Amino acid sequence: MRSEPEVTTFFTCPKPFIGRTAVHQRNALHSWLRLAPRPEIILIGDEVGVAEAAAEFGAVHIPVVARNEYGTPLVSDIVAQAERAARGALLVYVNTDIILFQDFVLGLARAHAARRRFLMIGRRWDLDVDAPLVFEAADWERALRARVASDGVLHWIFGVDYYAYTAGLFTPMPPFAVGRTAYDRWMIWRARARRVPVIDATSVVTCVHQNHERTYASLGKEAIEGDRNLRQGREAAHNYALAHEGSGRLYDLRHATHLLTRHALLPFAAYNAMRRLVHRRLMPKVRAALRDPVRSRRPERLAG
């Protein structure tokens, strides 16, 4: 039995801390440490700079991770090791280039209060970030949110970079290669297959993805001939095969069962019914106003 169920554990498998990747990963870690309550952070792997980052940021470091024949870490082992080491029952598997704000903690708390078991996910905002952020500035979050509002791009439904869930949801997991597609969509399918609510928190959680080149990087690992991007090559093909084996499904945000709004956690069926009701009641009035030349005309200034 877990002794500290209130603790939230973030875990991730960083890339090597080299060049712009190091800037992005340090920005992400700084943002996580500014969340309240402060989460436990677990860094998994022995890539360049990971041990040093764990020591600097006060994170737990697990250096050894199972890998496939190409040297790519396996998601199944990342998840299993994190769950064994975690001090809390709430876990967040998050990519190491993701900046989070306090709205993530608030959304997670609301989801946990409403459902004993759940998976919370959401779309990300893509943003060009080329330099270290100044987290010591009192207005760092406001300034970054302003940049997201002006320059950020909301990724499509496949832009999910965090998975907040209750322990044990994904085990056992096939030996997916990290960063090689399919496993993220399999995780959504697994939650649905186990009848666990899948909560879309996009409307209340601003998840900032720092843009980078499309590669998990071998950066120090053996490059894979023909694997030009994450959705091609032998490892990606193997991940697809693993995802389909025994399930035949790859899910995405369209398969979420609930929507987290500023005011409530709504089943999507109820949310869609409410939208249809509002549409039926409102649209006739809008159409009538557009047809009425008097009501639709701009008011004229009175003479005098």
Side-chain angles (χ1 to χ4, degrees):
M1 184 174 180
R2 298 176 186 271
S3 57
E4 297 180 77
E6 72 282 359
V7 174
T8 299
T9 298
F10 283 39
F11 67 95
T12 188
C13 184
K15 301 173 186 177
F17 280 77
I18 298 174
R20 189 166 65 161
T21 298
V23 172
H24 290 169
Q25 296 188 149
R26 291 179 60 82
N27 283 341
L29 288 166
H30 274 297
S31 77
W32 303 350
L33 288 178
R34 279 160 174 75
L35 300 178
R38 180 170 173 168
E40 175 187 38
I41 299 175
I42 300 177
L43 304 184
I44 300 176
D46 62 353
E47 303 288 359
V48 173
V50 173
E52 292 78 5
E56 177 185 352
F57 289 94
V60 176
H61 181 216
I62 301 176
V64 179
V65 60
R67 300 175 183 270
N68 62 16
E69 63 268 35
Y70 302 109
T72 306
L74 299 181
V75 181
S76 54
D77 194 53
I78 294 169
V79 171
Q81 291 207 68
E83 292 203 6
R84 286 196 297 268
R87 294 189 291 120
L90 286 179
L91 295 106
V92 181
Y93 181 24
V94 57
N95 289 340
T96 328
D97 55 9
I98 295 299
I99 295 172
L100 294 172
F101 302 125
Q102 189 63 25
D103 57 16
F104 177 83
V105 174
L106 299 176
L108 183 59
R110 290 174 55 201
H112 193 216
R115 293 291 184 271
R116 186 177 63 86
R117 300 183 69 206
F118 65 91
L119 168 63
M120 189 180 87
I121 55 179
R123 292 163 70 183
R124 75 187 193 215
W125 286 88
D126 294 326
L127 183 69
D128 289 334
V129 179
D130 297 319
L133 299 175
V134 183
F135 289 93
E136 292 75 19
D139 66 340
W140 76 268
E141 180 173 331
R142 182 198 59 77
L144 186 55
R145 283 185 178 276
R147 287 182 58 188
V148 172
S150 62
D151 303 324
V153 176
L154 184 62
H155 205 89
W156 196 35
I157 54 173
F158 300 118
V160 176
D161 281 64
Y162 67 84
Y163 296 80
Y165 67 99
T166 41
L169 179 58
F170 302 122
T171 53
M173 176 184 284
F176 294 111
V178 73
R180 300 292 190 228
T181 200
Y183 64 89
D184 46 356
R185 298 175 65 188
W186 177 92
M187 292 166 73
I188 301 173
W189 168 83
R190 171 52 66 88
R192 288 295 307 270
R194 292 187 165 173
R195 300 184 182 278
V196 171
V198 176
I199 300 170
D200 182 352
T202 302
S203 65
V204 296
V205 172
T206 302
C207 166
V208 182
H209 170 258
Q210 302 165 90
N211 290 332
H212 56 82
E213 63 282 357
R214 289 289 298 172
T215 170
Y216 175 73
S218 303
L219 286 175
K221 300 293 180 184
E222 179 183 357
I224 303 168
E225 182 180 355
D227 195 4
R228 295 182 179 180
N229 62 56
L230 303 185
R231 301 187 184 281
Q232 298 176 1
R234 287 169 285 181
E235 289 186 278
H238 186 56
N239 271 13
Y240 274 119
L242 290 172
H244 281 283
E245 186 179 37
S247 71
R249 297 287 184 179
L250 290 172
Y251 281 13
D252 53 53
L253 274 163
R254 290 171 295 187
H255 295 89
T257 60
H258 291 71
L259 177 69
L260 187 63
T261 73
R262 289 181 298 172
H263 305 292
L265 176 63
L266 300 174
F268 259 106
Y271 172 72
N272 289 331
M274 183 174 64
R275 289 184 60 188
R276 288 193 295 269
L277 178 62
V278 171
H279 186 270
R280 285 198 301 269
R281 291 184 174 180
L282 183 61
M283 288 310 297
K285 297 179 181 179
V286 172
R287 295 191 187 101
L290 292 175
R291 288 195 300 266
D292 188 335
V294 175
R295 295 178 62 186
S296 61
R297 189 175 58 199
R298 293 181 62 183
E300 298 178 358
R301 186 183 299 273
L302 295 175

